[in-house]
């Protein structure tokens, strides 16, 4: 939804004051105002903030996110505005609205929320005239109130699956503004049931066969010169679709509780699946399995929770499933090492197994903010378990926390290393990926499975050429 607000003189001065006050500190800030309730009967909006220029004409100077609050007086509505972004180039309001059709202008509201059609037309024209606002508008549209779920273990599993889903899109180097606009469950989640899937809350689930809306060319249509290269892309889509069906089959062997989504950017396709089958009270956390199809590279991340009640520490000796999970990861690393070749791409770390330690949270943002955490390779984690610096728990117990861990990777650095191919296996087969999918379910873990296709690394391409020449 789109809305327009015309600032009164004192409001414009107050906005200038707020910007100067918070700009140097880089703090987020909000603005509240009241207007007639009849023009603000609906909830959240992309808000166009217009101020009066020296000639008395209104110009769009800022955009933000407006949310209704409780009524101020009988006929007034209080609104709160967040995520305010100033336009680098102001835009005359009359110029923006001149592009509307006659029907849209008849439905135009000078101040307040617009009808769906008129609002979409205003938004499209705004981004056409000021394309540099695209990223800010996507952020604003994805920013909604946080989800407070308390101590529910089922909700914590949803939070981990959400975080893992955000992580794989970042490993693929993709923007994910659509993941910010999700609707958490309104009802209470019970720990003795299987938690809902995060991707199901982002949008309506689709059958995997419907993931690709391939445009079919009619036989009578001539093949235009610009379309003669499309056969390769169609073949690529076909292969990805086959992979999707195969992976859905792997998941269906263990559970029918699966949600799929497809993301496309710069000629690449990312398929993401959320899957689980275990009630929250028996769940052991979440696994990420990220497979780069063109690079034949696999990364597996296993989530572990810091104990907030103990000052934010993770105690390996208190985790009864840890020893079994470390054996699983060690066998995975050894398998990858045995099947590596000198002709494969070089990595900073070619082992697939990683661990993320993160805080359990009771409040979850609806933006694309990830849960803060520490990433360790399996080898580094096991080495730290013998590190004297971590033996500062009760009775000299080993514990992991921000206060005593000497080094780790954060969200940004880890996902960037995966994206650039600096970590992960080489020469991984889809059969190997399938094995890990099944092992995750047998370990009673929720799963986020992602496959990235459509981008072949130069070194991998050269290796393929060498093999073809033999």
């Amino acid at each position: 939804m789109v809305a327009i607000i015309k600032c009164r003189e004192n409001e414009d001065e107050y906005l200038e004051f707020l910007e100067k006050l918070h700009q140097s500190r880089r703090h987020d800030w909000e603005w509240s105002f009241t207007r007639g309730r009849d023009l603000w009967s609906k909830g959240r909006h992309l808000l166009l903030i217009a101020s009066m220029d020296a000639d008395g004409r209104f110009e769009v100077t800022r955009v933000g996110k407006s949310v209704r609050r409780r009524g101020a007086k009988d006929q007034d509505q209080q609104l709160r505005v967040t995520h305010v972004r100033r336009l680098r180039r102001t835009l005359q309001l009359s110029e923006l609205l001149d592009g509307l059709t006659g029907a849209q202008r008849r439905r135009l509201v000078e101040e307040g929320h617009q009808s769906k059609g008129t609002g979409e037309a205003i938004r499209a024209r705004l981004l056409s005239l000021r394309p540099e606002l695209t990223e800010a508008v996507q952020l604003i549209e994805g920013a909604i109130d946080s989800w407070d779920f308390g101590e529910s273990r089922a909700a914590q599993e949803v939070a981990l699956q959400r975080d893992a889903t955000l992580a794989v899109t970042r490993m693929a180097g993709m923007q994910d503004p659509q993941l910010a606009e999700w609707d958490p469950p309104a009802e209470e989640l019970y720990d003795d049931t299987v938690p809902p899937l995060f991707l199901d809350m982002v949008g309506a689930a689709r059958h995997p066969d419907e993931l690709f809306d391939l445009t079919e060319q009619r036989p009578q249509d001539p093949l235009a010169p610009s379309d003669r290269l499309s056969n390769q892309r169609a073949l690529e889509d076909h292969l990805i679709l086959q992979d999707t069906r195969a992976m859905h089959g792997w998941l269906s062997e263990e559970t029918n509780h699966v949600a799929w989504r497809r993301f496309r950017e710069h000629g690449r396709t990312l398929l993401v699946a959320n899957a689980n089958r275990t009630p929250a009270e028996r769940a052991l956390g979440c696994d990420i399995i990220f497979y780069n199809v063109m690079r034949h590279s696999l990364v597996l991340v296993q989530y572990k929770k810091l104990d907030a009640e103990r000052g934010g520490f993770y105690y390996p000796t208190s985790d009864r499933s840890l020893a079994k999970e470390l054996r699983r990861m060690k066998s995975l690393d050894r398998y990858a090492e045995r099947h590596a070749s000198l002709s494969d791409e070089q990595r900073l770390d070619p082992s697939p197994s990683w661990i993320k330690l993160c805080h359990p949270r009771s409040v979850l943002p609806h933006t694309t903010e990830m849960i803060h955490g520490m990433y360790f390779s399996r080898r580094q984690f096991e080495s730290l378990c013998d590190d004297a610096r971590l033996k500062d728990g009760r009775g000299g117990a080993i514990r992991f926390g921000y206060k005593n861990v000497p080094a780790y990777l954060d969200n940004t650095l880890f996902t960037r290393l995966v994206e650039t191919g600096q970590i992960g296996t080489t020469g991984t087969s889809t059969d190997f990926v399938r094995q890990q999918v099944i092992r995750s379910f047998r370990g009673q873990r929720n799963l986020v499975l992602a496959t990235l296709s459509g981008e072949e690394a130069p070194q991998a391409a050269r290796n393929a050429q060498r093999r073809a020449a033999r």
Side-chain angles (χ1 to χ4, degrees), residues 27 40 94 131 184 195 214 257 275 362 436 439:
H27 288 169
W40 299 91
S94 57
L214 301 179
H257 197 195
S362 60
Q436 300 317 308
R439 291 181 77 176

Side-chain angles (χ1 to χ4, degrees), residues 197-461:
L197 300 169
F198 167 67
L199 282 177
D200 273 341
M201 304 176 196
V202 175
R206 302 179 66 184
H207 190 277
D209 290 349
E210 300 172 351
L211 278 170
F212 295 96
D213 301 321
L214 301 179
T215 302
E216 294 184 1
Q217 188 170 8
R218 293 173 296 178
Q220 65 270 27
D221 291 342
L223 188 66
S226 60
D227 293 336
R228 288 171 186 163
L229 297 178
S230 64
N231 289 337
Q232 184 174 354
R233 180 60 181 274
L235 177 62
E236 174 191 310
D237 283 343
H238 176 71
L239 292 175
I240 296 170
L241 181 57
Q242 290 298 111
D243 287 343
T244 306
R245 286 172 174 161
M247 291 178 183
H248 185 265
W250 305 344
L251 296 171
S252 296
E253 289 179 9
E254 302 295 324
T255 180
N256 290 320
H257 197 195
V258 182
W260 285 92
R261 290 294 179 275
R262 176 199 64 189
F263 303 90
R264 275 185 168 171
E265 189 175 298
H266 305 308
R268 299 170 303 160
T269 298
L270 178 71
L271 297 173
V272 184
N274 289 176
N276 58 34
R277 63 169 186 167
T278 306
E281 62 187 5
R282 298 203 303 270
L284 299 176
C286 184
D287 276 353
I288 294 175
I289 296 178
F290 179 81
Y291 181 44
N292 189 322
V293 176
M294 302 306 292
R295 285 182 169 174
H296 305 289
S297 179
L298 174 72
V299 173
L300 184 144
V301 182
Q302 187 166 112
Y303 279 74
K304 293 290 184 182
K305 297 176 186 176
L306 297 167
D307 190 338
E309 295 180 359
R310 300 185 187 179
F313 287 98
Y314 170 75
Y315 291 79
T317 54
S318 300
D319 188 343
R320 291 177 293 179
S321 64
L322 177 63
K324 182 178 179 180
E325 291 167 346
L326 285 176
R327 285 196 298 271
R328 174 173 76 116
M329 288 189 282
K330 185 178 292 187
S331 67
L332 171 63
D333 290 349
R334 287 176 175 172
Y335 181 98
E337 187 176 359
R338 286 197 305 269
H339 289 78
S341 169
L342 293 176
S343 62
D344 290 334
E345 288 188 76
Q346 297 300 308
R347 308 273 196 245
L348 290 175
D349 190 333
S351 300
S353 301
W354 291 77
I355 293 173
K356 179 179 181 180
L357 301 181
C358 55
H359 276 291
R361 303 178 67 170
S362 60
V363 177
L364 200 63
H366 283 206
T367 62
T368 53
E369 176 189 342
M370 292 180 63
I371 300 174
H372 298 297
M374 300 179 282
Y375 293 83
F376 307 95
S377 68
R378 190 267 311 166
R379 288 188 179 92
Q380 182 188 11
F381 181 85
E382 290 186 321
S383 176
L384 287 171
C385 285
D386 295 325
D387 194 315
R389 291 171 291 183
L390 275 63
K391 294 180 180 180
D392 59 359
R394 181 175 298 177
I398 287 287
R399 60 180 185 173
F400 285 71
Y402 287 99
K403 298 178 182 179
N404 63 353
V405 170
Y408 60 88
L409 301 182
D410 62 11
N411 288 320
T412 301
L413 187 52
F414 175 77
T415 54
R416 181 61 175 157
L417 287 173
V418 177
E419 177 194 349
T420 55
Q422 300 303 308
I423 57 179
T425 64
T426 58
T428 302
S429 69
T430 53
D431 286 340
F432 187 38
V433 180
R434 177 184 182 276
Q435 293 173 25
Q436 300 317 308
V437 169
I438 302 305
R439 291 181 77 176
S440 290
F441 278 120
R442 288 177 179 170
Q444 292 186 315
R445 304 186 65 83
N446 293 336
L447 177 65
V448 172
L449 170 65
T451 63
L452 177 64
S453 302
E455 178 187 40
E456 185 168 358
Q459 183 62 44

